[in-house]
Amino acid sequence: MQREREGVDGVKRIAMMEGARRLLEVCAGTRPGERVLVATDVSMPLSVSQALFSAALNLGAIPVLAVMGFPMGEEPPEPVAAAMLSSDVILAPTSRSLYHTKACREACERGARLLAITECLEDTLMKGGIMADFRGLEPVVQRAAGILAKGSWIRITTPAGTDISASIEGRPGNANTGVCQRPGMRMGVPDIEVNSPPIETTTQGQLVIDASIGQIGLLSQPVVVEIDGGRAVSIQGGPEAKAMKEVLDKTGDPASYVVAELAVGLNPEASVVGRIIEDEGAYLTGHVGFGDNIGHGGASKAPIHLDVVFWHPTVEVDGQVIFKEGLIAFQ
């Protein structure tokens, strides 16, 4: 029985190593001699970080593994933040996203490139979104980002009842392609998406979340969020609605309720599985981020960035439909 268990574990390790190699080589473009920091926390499976560490070694890089406690809404501890500043590549399989932290921004300004692999489990490295053709999808994501960057007004509707609109005038269209090979770049992986940070006071309407919520997972029933003046003013539904309010309230900062991001997933290999780094990138989904959007090019500074995912968005930019119930509708 013990040998059988070891054999299964060995097969799993081999499968995880393929995903880890794709992250290091295809996504991060890791080169021999580069300093690679794998920053994880005690809530995450150590096997994931060990696979990333080994993949970096196999590519001739110089990896360091840091395991930290990572309470929600806090910056990484000073020794980890310092290690980030001296790294070429930062891999972050953490339970809460490092992407929106000050430490991450400063490290990327220093020339590091970051792959945020939030809520990454062993399966994340073995199947699903990690198997995407990141390079092949890059032109499509860039075209969608270009439409958002030129747009002034966005409206998102869904069959479940979402109908929200906002100004995006002067705001960037961000292409999260999963290809993160230039100094200073930040990407979520295996997330592939296009997003824009709306003008913070302009989002209005009703958001119906019917797929998943970051830090919470899959939904037992839809969560309905009323948005006025750019903020969530009401969150109604079942147990996940209560949990969402608790996550936002725990930060103690009203800015956590600001609509910070409007986005559409573009990874055809990803599925909605209850882990945000996979869910938010799944093709046929959209998501809204609440809280911080400094890293997206916005002006909302908050101790959290919470993504909520919904199905089949129709997205109009200045009256042009660019996604029709989640399907690409632009040339």
Side-chain angles (χ1 to χ4, degrees), residues 166-195:
S167 172
I168 55 172
E169 188 167 7
R171 289 296 170 88
N174 298 308
N176 191 107
T177 64
V179 179
C180 186
Q181 299 188 1
R182 297 194 304 275
M185 293 185 75
R186 282 183 283 174
M187 294 281 174
V189 179
D191 177 23
I192 300 176
E193 68 172 75
V194 61
N195 67 68

Side-chain angles (χ1 to χ4, degrees), residues 108-174:
C108 291
E109 288 168 2
R110 188 77 67 91
R113 51 199 195 274
L114 170 86
L115 293 180
I117 327 165
T118 312
E119 299 180 3
C120 179
L121 299 182
E122 292 177 344
D123 282 355
T124 311
L125 296 182
M126 297 169 61
K127 60 185 179 179
I130 194 62
M131 299 304 168
D133 180 5
F134 293 98
R135 281 290 194 187
L137 290 167
E138 196 171 17
V140 177
V141 186
Q142 296 285 5
R143 285 201 295 276
I147 294 171
L148 290 178
K150 294 175 182 177
S152 297
W153 196 259
I154 186 171
R155 182 186 182 197
I156 301 177
T157 59
T158 70
T162 290
D163 191 344
I164 57 175
S165 58
S167 172
I168 55 172
E169 188 167 7
R171 289 296 170 88
N174 298 308

